């Protein structure tokens, strides 16, 4: 028996319905997106650009009379210095303990003593010679008395010049000259004996000592170097333009100067000096003027308070308190701009003002023209500087009201 298999034809009549449904979904989605786009609000760009005023800081200019501070660098030098040398020859038999490097010796202190024996003998000899010359004067005076009696007997027969010979006037003059010469020799011997003691000519500090006990000296041999203790000089170099604000007088009328060594003394420690004089030539290297400042008691030996000592050869910072500059505007130097100009806030506008600088020290510029008291000086550094640019200061809005 044969098995019969029957085949059913595929259902092809409904496929177009599926395609139609897919197309409908695509079209519907596209229409939905168009509708959303059509209902979204649009942003409009403003064509006007708003300019913003620059925010700055200002200070108020002040006018008055000011004393400038002329800053300089100075070198400490000895005001009084001497190089001692032996004036007689001989062996040193004694030396003062204070006569050593760095020692302090009072005026008249015997620094070294040279063996005086030979000079004492010479002085005794010269005194003997003087006494002998004095005796010759006395003898010659007696001879003149005898000659006077002889002259009375021969007066009518002698000429005038013969009378002088009879009275032994030339012999008397010779004896008087010998006496004077003997007196000079005694004085010289006395001086030589005194010079066997080498004394300090003034109160001083010993800078160097070249000899010691036992050394054999000859006249002119260097013994040591001393510097006076009453005062030191600080020779400072200043620009020639600063000289017009300085005066050079001594005593109470002298200008004052501050002397500092921050590294050695500390920031707040200073010594005071007086501006005494201007040296007659410029410094060879810097071409600056040189000013002498006198500092009294440089080692502070007579001060009731502890003060730092000045050291010869050291470099110090000097501030000279100059003559008062009258009726000027004082401005910090960092606010003086290029080509001597100042930025001024004039009613919210930038005004680039040319000024006349009378003098400038390290901290301030002193202006005689171009800036008035009460005006607002811009202290902020600006990247763009344009005359008339809009400005606003801190705490003030662009419209002029308070923020």
């Amino acid at each position: 028996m044969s098995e019969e298999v029957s085949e059913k034809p595929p259902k092809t009549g409904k496929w177009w319905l599926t395609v139609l449904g897919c197309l409908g979904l695509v079209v519907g989605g596209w229409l939905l997106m168009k509708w959303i786009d059509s209902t979204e609000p649009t942003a409009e760009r403003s064509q006007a650009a708003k300019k913003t005023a620059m925010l700055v800081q200002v200070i108020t200019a002040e006018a008055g009379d000011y004393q400038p501070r002329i800053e300089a660098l100075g070198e400490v030098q000895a005001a009084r210095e001497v190089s001692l040398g032996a004036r007689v020859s001989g062996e040193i038999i004694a030396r003062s303990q204070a006569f050593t490097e760095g020692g302090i010796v009072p005026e008249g202190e015997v620094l070294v003593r040279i063996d005086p024996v030979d000079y004492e003998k010479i002085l005794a000899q010269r005194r003997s010679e003087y006494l002998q010359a004095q005796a010759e004067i006395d003898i010659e005076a007696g001879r003149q008395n005898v000659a006077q009696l002889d002259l009375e007997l021969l007066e009518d027969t002698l000429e005038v010049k013969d009378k002088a010979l009879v009275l032994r006037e030339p012999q008397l003059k010779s004896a008087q000259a010998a006496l004077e010469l003997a007196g000079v020799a005694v004085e010289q011997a006395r001086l030589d004996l005194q010079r066997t003691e080498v004394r300090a000519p003034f109160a001083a500090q010993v800078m160097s000592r070249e000899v010691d006990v036992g050394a054999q000296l000859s006249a002119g041999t260097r013994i040591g170097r001393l510097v006076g203790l009453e005062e030191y000089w600080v020779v400072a170099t200043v620009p020639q333009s600063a000289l017009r604000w300085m005066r050079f007088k001594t005593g109470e009328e002298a200008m004052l100067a501050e002397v500092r060594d921050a590294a050695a003394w500390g920031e707040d420690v200073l010594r005071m000096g007086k501006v005494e004089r201007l040296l007659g030539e410029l410094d060879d290297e810097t071409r600056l003027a040189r000013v002498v400042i006198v500092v009294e008691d440089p080692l502070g030996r007579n001060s009731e308070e502890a003060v730092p000592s000045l050291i010869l050869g050291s470099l110090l910072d000097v501030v000279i308190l100059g003559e008062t500059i009258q009726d000027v505007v004082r401005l910090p130097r960092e606010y003086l701009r290029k080509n001597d100009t100042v930025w001024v806030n004039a009613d919210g506008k930038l005004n680039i003002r040319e000024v006349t600088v009378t003098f400038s020290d390290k901290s301030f510029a002193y202006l005689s023209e171009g800036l008035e008291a009460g005006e607002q000086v811009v202290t902020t550094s600006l990247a763009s500087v344009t005359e008339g640019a809009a400005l606003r200061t801190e705490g003030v809005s662009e419209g002029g009201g308070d923020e």
Side-chain angles (χ1 to χ4, degrees):
M1 179 174 176
S2 65
E3 185 176 340
E4 293 182 358
V5 178
S6 63
E7 296 181 0
K8 295 181 179 180
K11 298 179 180 181
T12 60
K14 302 292 184 178
W15 64 269
W16 56 272
L17 293 176
T18 302
V19 174
L20 185 59
C22 292
L23 290 175
L25 291 174
V26 172
V27 174
W30 179 78
L31 292 175
L32 180 60
M33 291 178 60
K34 295 292 291 180
W35 178 79
I36 292 174
D37 290 340
S38 64
T39 58
E40 183 179 5
T42 59
E44 296 181 358
R45 292 185 178 181
S46 174
Q47 300 299 322
K50 184 178 182 180
K51 294 183 179 179
T52 303
M54 293 181 289
L55 179 62
V56 296
Q57 293 180 333
V58 296
I59 60 172
T60 301
E62 297 181 356
D65 300 337
Y66 299 98
Q67 187 176 33
R69 295 171 60 85
I70 304 169
E71 302 193 19
L73 188 67
E75 180 183 1
V76 181
Q77 299 182 8
R80 193 176 186 184
E81 180 177 355
V82 64
S83 180
L84 292 178
R87 303 189 67 179
V88 295
S89 60
E91 180 184 354
I92 295 179
I93 60 174
R95 174 181 68 82
S96 170
Q97 293 297 320
F99 185 44
T100 188
E101 285 84 352
I104 304 297
V105 293
E107 181 178 357
E109 173 84 2
V110 177
L111 304 179
V112 296
R113 182 175 285 110
I114 299 172
D115 189 354
V117 174
D118 292 341
Y119 297 97
E120 290 172 347
K121 292 179 179 180
I122 293 174
L123 177 59
Q125 181 180 349
R126 297 293 181 263
R127 284 174 173 169
S128 177
E129 293 172 352
Y130 180 81
L131 293 176
Q132 184 177 354
Q134 182 66 56
E136 289 293 334
I137 291 290
D138 295 338
I139 293 172
E140 193 59 40
R143 290 172 177 171
Q144 272 197 338
N145 291 333
V146 175
Q148 182 66 35
L149 295 176
D150 294 339
L151 179 62
E152 292 176 357
L153 297 175
L154 302 173
E155 185 175 6
D156 294 337
T157 62
L158 296 177
E159 296 181 0
V160 176
K161 62 178 181 179
D162 295 330
K163 292 180 180 180
L165 293 174
V166 172
L167 291 176
R168 299 182 63 84
E169 291 180 359
Q171 291 84 344
L172 180 60
K173 290 180 180 180
S174 177
Q176 290 173 338
L179 179 64
E180 184 177 349
L181 183 61
V184 172
V186 170
E187 185 61 27
Q188 183 62 52
R190 183 182 294 111
L191 287 175
D192 288 343
L193 179 60
Q194 291 177 352
R195 289 165 180 169
T196 60
E197 293 182 343
V198 181
R199 298 177 179 270
F202 44 80
Q205 184 176 31
V206 181
M207 293 292 105
S208 66
R209 176 175 60 83
E210 312 295 338
V211 298
D212 208 340
V213 175
Q216 187 69 33
L217 304 181
S218 58
T221 301
R222 178 183 169 94
I223 294 176
R225 184 169 69 96
L226 306 180
V227 296
L229 296 178
E230 294 183 358
E231 61 185 35
Y232 278 0
W233 293 343
V234 179
V235 180
T237 53
V238 300
Q240 295 185 61
S241 60
L243 296 179
R244 61 179 297 199
W245 306 111
M246 300 172 62
R247 68 175 184 273
F248 301 97
K249 295 183 179 180
T250 58
E252 298 298 327
E253 297 182 354
M255 295 178 63
L256 297 179
E258 300 174 355
V259 178
R260 300 175 184 268
D261 189 344
W265 305 348
E267 292 290 342
D268 300 328
V269 181
L270 59 86
R271 295 290 303 269
M272 296 301 298
K274 295 181 178 180
V275 181
E276 184 174 273
R277 64 184 180 276
L278 172 68
L279 296 183
E281 61 181 356
L282 301 179
D283 184 84
D284 291 336
E285 297 181 358
T286 63
R287 311 307 298 168
L288 298 175
R290 296 187 298 163
V291 175
V292 175
I293 299 166
V294 175
V295 179
E296 299 178 351
D297 189 20
L299 303 187
R301 299 171 63 245
N302 302 322
S303 177
E304 298 180 356
E305 301 179 355
V307 295
S309 299
L310 272 64
I311 301 177
L312 294 176
S314 59
L315 297 178
L316 304 179
D317 294 319
V318 177
V319 176
I320 300 172
L321 307 179
E323 291 274 35
T324 300
I325 304 177
Q326 297 181 344
D327 193 23
V328 291
V329 173
R330 188 177 69 174
L331 186 69
R333 284 194 60 175
E334 59 265 33
Y335 305 140
L336 181 65
R337 310 297 177 172
K338 186 178 180 181
N339 298 325
D340 289 345
T341 59
V342 173
W343 298 344
V344 178
N345 180 16
D347 298 328
K349 302 293 184 181
L350 178 62
N351 181 207
I352 303 174
R353 191 83 57 80
E354 293 184 358
V355 294
T356 300
V357 181
T358 298
F359 180 72
S360 292
D361 57 27
K362 185 176 181 180
S363 301
F364 297 97
Y366 302 88
L367 313 179
S368 58
E369 296 179 358
L371 186 65
E372 301 294 334
E375 292 190 293
Q376 292 186 333
V377 177
V378 176
T379 62
T380 304
S381 296
L382 302 176
S384 177
V385 180
T386 304
E387 179 72 24
L391 302 177
R392 61 188 179 93
T393 57
E394 290 185 348
V396 179
S397 66
E398 294 181 36
D402 293 340
E403 289 184 344

